[in-house]
């Protein structure tokens, strides 16, 4: 194999497994799916569930889930409305079924999300009643999902009364406060206000943050716009580490329902009031944290980032067919990426070295390794290595593909294709804005509305949008194709 076949990808940060990241594979999900749809004409009913109306059921059908979403995040959607009794993830279809304890809880959930569009990982999702009145999954095939459900239920019921006492209504209703109190235990590395904002923004819009030190512990108060977002963040993040084996998050609901922020600086921030003064020069960090920071400046790149093999496959796949990706276990700011041939490796290095991703400059160099080794059988490497050799998403597998003629450096302008007729400009603007960037311009192709140009504010925002939305399911069996364009709008 040519020595150019491996590209080393460096200088972005990644947290060690803050979310559950192991899924049942697609084949196994299909087997579980068949358990539900084995009787009569139930398979036909599944198609009918695309309709938003339907008879109420305690089983809810959730569609258009992001590809990397976890069972925990899906379960968190239902917890504010009552007990979740079963879940079925259909990863290959970007769908899930969620069963609540009562039909009333399901009705409340559907009514709520009819008025407030639910989002997971900055993508809108769709929730409706299922035609099925209960989930009859085979627990031996659905073991992972059931284990997650049991763990989440244990967290949910940890503070409920013992048996024989009356459960209060608050135990099955949304948390009343949108404010979380956060304590950082085992704080070996500094945690800044911006780090907290980046972590907690995954679960909704963060309005305000105040950081302080109390009893020699670094603490923060963080306010969401909606108590449901606070509930989801607490469920997913409580007890997790920001950095490897340290900086553990302990999260509770605050008795406060609103934070009063006077200054926008490194200690406090009101994201709804950019006009606030910075204060009288108070230090960015308290002395203890500043001392740790001075000793560990090399760790600036370790900010919490959800970099996954899938995201690297999507980005590097613009310049060649990625065969394997391995995020290094003991150096999670680095990865090995194996391309189909040396020319593709060189192309990826030429175009991506020096680009900005997740706020960090990425460095791409040739590796001494000839191939990415897969983990030994039975070894759990926490999902850091993935083989994409048989992926249907390779752009250059077909000989003579037009994709070979449309390889361009990263740019703020993206080329979109495979757009269904029902999707309007505003739909696409909203979809791309949900990746965290700003859509500056948009234009459908004059003769073919299946294609369009969309311009983000920066190249970095365009890179993020491509990672998040390439192959996004727009419905009608249309998966969006996203690439960089040489054109401007």
């Amino acid at each position: 194999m040519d020595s150019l076949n491996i590209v080393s990808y460096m200088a972005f940060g990644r947290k060690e497994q803050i979310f559950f990241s192991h899924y049942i594979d697609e084949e196994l999900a299909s087997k579980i799916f068949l358990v539900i749809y084995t009787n009569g004409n139930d398979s036909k009913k599944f198609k009918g569930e695309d309709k938003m109306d339907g008879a109420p059921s305690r089983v809810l059908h959730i569609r258009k889930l992001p590809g990397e979403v976890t069972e925990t995040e899906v379960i968190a959607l239902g917890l504010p409305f009552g007990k979740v009794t079963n879940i079925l993830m259909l990863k290959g279809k970007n769908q899930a079924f969620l069963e609540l304890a009562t039909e009333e809880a399901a009705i409340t959930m559907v009514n709520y999300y009819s008025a407030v569009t639910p989002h997971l990982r900055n993508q809108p999702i769709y929730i409706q009643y299922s035609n099925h009145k209960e989930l009859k999954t085979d627990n031996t095939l659905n073991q992972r999902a059931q284990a997650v459900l049991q763990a989440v239920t244990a967290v949910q019921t940890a503070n409920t009364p013992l048996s024989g006492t009356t459960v209060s209504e608050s135990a099955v209703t949304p948390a009343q406060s949108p404010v979380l109190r956060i304590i950082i235990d085992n704080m070996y590395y500094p945690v800044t206000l911006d780090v907290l904002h980046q972590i907690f923004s995954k679960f909704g819009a963060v309005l305000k943050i105040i950081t302080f030190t109390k009893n020699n512990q670094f603490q923060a108060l963080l306010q969401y716009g909606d108590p449901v977002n606070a509930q989801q963040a607490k469920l997913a993040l409580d007890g997790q580490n920001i950095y490897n084996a340290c900086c553990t998050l302990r999260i509770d609901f605050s008795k406060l329902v609103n934070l009063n922020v006077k200054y926008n600086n490194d200690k406090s921030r009101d994201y709804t009031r950019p006009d606030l003064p910075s204060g009288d020069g108070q230090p960015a960090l308290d002395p203890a944290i500043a001392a740790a920071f001075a000793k560990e400046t090399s760790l600036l790149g370790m900010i919490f980032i959800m970099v996954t093999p899938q995201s690297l496959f999507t980005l590097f796949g613009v310049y060649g067919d990625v065969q394997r990706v391995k995020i290094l276990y003991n150096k999670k700011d680095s990865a090995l990426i194996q391309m189909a041939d040396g020319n593709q490796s060189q192309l990826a290095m030429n175009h991506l070295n020096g680009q900005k991703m997740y706020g960090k400059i990425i460095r791409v160099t040739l590796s001494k390794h000839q191939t990415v080794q897969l983990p030994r059988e039975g070894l759990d490497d926490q999902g850091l290595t993935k083989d994409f050799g048989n992926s249907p998403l390779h752009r250059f597998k077909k000989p003579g593909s037009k994709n070979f003629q449309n390889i361009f450096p990263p740019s703020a302008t993206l080329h979109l294709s495979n757009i269904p007729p029902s999707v309007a400009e505003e739909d696409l603007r909203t979809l791309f804005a949900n990746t965290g960037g700003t859509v500056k311009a948009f234009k459908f192709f004059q003769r073919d509305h299946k294609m369009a140009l969309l311009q983000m504010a920066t190249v970095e925002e365009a890179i993020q949008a491509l990672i998040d939305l390439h192959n996004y399911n727009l419905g009608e069996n249309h998966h969006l194709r996203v690439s960089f364009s040489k054109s401007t709008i």
Side-chain angles (χ1 to χ4, degrees), residues 448-469:
D448 187 358
H449 274 218
K450 293 180 180 179
M451 295 190 290
L453 294 177
L454 182 143
Q455 183 180 334
M456 304 296 290
T458 66
V459 175
E460 183 183 3
E461 289 182 5
I463 288 174
Q464 182 64 57
L466 183 144
I467 290 172
D468 289 348
L469 295 178

Side-chain angles (χ1 to χ4, degrees), residues 432-486:
F432 277 78
N434 283 336
T435 64
T438 302
V439 178
K440 303 290 287 187
F442 180 92
K443 182 177 71 175
F444 273 116
F445 278 49
Q446 188 171 1
R447 294 183 179 180
D448 187 358
H449 274 218
K450 293 180 180 179
M451 295 190 290
L453 294 177
L454 182 143
Q455 183 180 334
M456 304 296 290
T458 66
V459 175
E460 183 183 3
E461 289 182 5
I463 288 174
Q464 182 64 57
L466 183 144
I467 290 172
D468 289 348
L469 295 178
H470 178 63
N471 199 47
Y472 182 83
N473 186 359
L474 291 173
E476 303 175 35
N477 202 27
H478 285 70
H479 286 75
L480 184 65
R481 301 287 180 257
V482 185
S483 57
F484 298 114
S485 174
K486 66 177 180 180

